[in-house]
Amino acid sequence: MSESLTCDVVVVGAGMTGAACALYAARAGLGVTVVDRGPVAGGTTGAGEGNLLVSDKAPGPELDLALLSHRLWAEVAQELGGAVEYEPKGGLVVAETPGALDALRRFAAGQRANGVTAAPVPADRLRDLEPRLRDGLAGGVHYPQDAQVMPALAAAHLLRASGARLLTGREVTGVLRGTDGAVRGVRTDRGDLHAPAVVNAAGPWGGELAARAGVSLPVLPRRGFVLVTEPLPPRIRHKVYAADYVTDVASDSAALRTSPVVEGTAAGPVLIGASRERVGFDRSVSLPAVRALAAGAIRMFPFLSGVRAVRTYAGFRPYLPDHLPAIGPDPRAPGLLHACGHEGAGIGLATGTGRLIARVLTGQAPELDLTPFRPDRFPPTSGEAER
Amino acid sequence: MNPREPSGARPGPAFTVTFDGRPLEALPGQTVAAVLWAADVVSWRSTRVAARPRGVFCGIGVCFDCLVTVNDRPNQRACLVPARPGDVIRTQEGTGHAH
């Protein structure tokens, strides 16, 4: 039987971004329904590491969003910190060569001028921060603002705290539009949900949802593996990664790229990333990718050669061609807002994204200029049904 | 009943392993978990936080509950690792990496 529900806003996607949009919209006084064809955190959120990073962001709109999000995460942590395994552990970026160190220090100087705390660490002081790092590194930069959450727990607890109505296992098959083109809600496989606003928080499937609303958004999946070790006592204190990670993230290559990102977790296992490749939604395990991750991590932390990896998992980062998310109203479909395309930074950027979306929904000025995040900034793809 | 009887298994000659220093008889092809169960040992790990006893849960290599230290390597899954002559099997405390 079809059930007709009315609310102020339907959020499509019960991942981290959808949960944050629901929380801030609900706290702004809106009645929110969250709908997802899978479970909570069943997509990209459940397949990441829970990075809340400012260290890998170059000055610009994404860094501004990361700094806003960082402040909001600290507020959320006051309320839910233990439950979501929030750890303000800080990041340590290391350079293997003097050339890489020069580039890293220049990058950090630019970040410092834009509100990031970034302290250079000479080679002989690296072990004060990370006693098990290998010999012979050129130096690094310490970023105390970097933090971590357990992403699936964070999505679940933010959803619960929002008090939003949650409908899982229910697929949005279309976005309802009136004769004037304005959004009226969504059609699902089990009835319509009526609302004057719909938020697209569908992550790497955000392009598909946009198409169901009759607009184009070129979100592509960029696959990444995480390698999980057996549980260990605390041995790696920070989020530690090599300076070339930043250039890998910014790369447009479809081919496999890996750069070591290593961190301990509250539960004990060490998580090893990060690989990036554009292979569509293919989940099959890639031995070359996983092998490269292990080799990179051991190069940085030699003791890991004696530690066993127990499993690996893959996820799909929602990637937009200019590496910036789509956040804000879509002028092509009044009432439709997008909050997707955060690539590998979606957990960290979720709080800021949720707040900006809530501001737009309630007619208030957002804290940041949304122009760089405009969802209609890309040329239309062929076959687009403009109304 | 001896589980070998209904299956008609005719394993090769038994050998010895130790569990926390105590000699146990094992048969070729048995997993470490099977050897321990046959000796009425059902717990061989304590959990990381609350130090609660653990042994076989799924028994088919899925759940990581039956972790045990074999020949000084912690976190071996007892339900998957075949017992070999002379294996030194020890109860695993927490992560098994405490030293």
Side-chain angles (χ1 to χ4, degrees), chain A residues 229-299:
Chain A
T229 74
E230 58 186 312
L232 299 174
R235 287 192 174 167
I236 298 176
R237 301 170 180 174
H238 301 79
K239 193 168 288 279
V240 184
Y241 64 89
D244 47 1
Y245 172 70
V246 176
T247 47
D248 272 9
V249 174
S251 137
D252 289 315
S253 166
L256 172 67
R257 301 180 74 95
T258 63
S259 46
V261 179
V262 183
E263 65 204 293
T265 60
V270 171
L271 303 183
I272 299 168
S275 69
R276 299 180 127 72
E277 54 195 321
R278 293 218 315 264
V279 291
F281 287 105
D282 175 4
R283 270 192 193 283
S284 49
V285 173
S286 155
L287 208 51
V290 174
R291 205 175 263 152
L293 290 179
I298 290 167
R299 199 169 69 232

Side-chain angles (χ1 to χ4, degrees), chain A residues 230-233 235 267-269 306-308 310-311, chain B residues 48 64 67 73-77 95-99:
Chain A
E230 58 186 312
L232 299 174
R235 287 192 174 167
V307 167
R308 259 145 352 104
V310 295
R311 65 190 182 94
Chain B
R48 307 198 288 276
F64 289 87
L67 302 176
R73 287 191 71 181
N75 295 312
Q76 308 275 338
R77 285 188 275 180
T95 64
H97 284 275
H99 44 277

Side-chain angles (χ1 to χ4, degrees), chain A residues 36-62:
Chain A
D36 196 301
R37 65 182 170 192
V40 171
T44 298
T45 295
E49 297 161 292
N51 288 331
L52 316 181
L53 299 189
V54 297
S55 56
D56 64 339
K57 313 283 189 296
E62 197 190 12

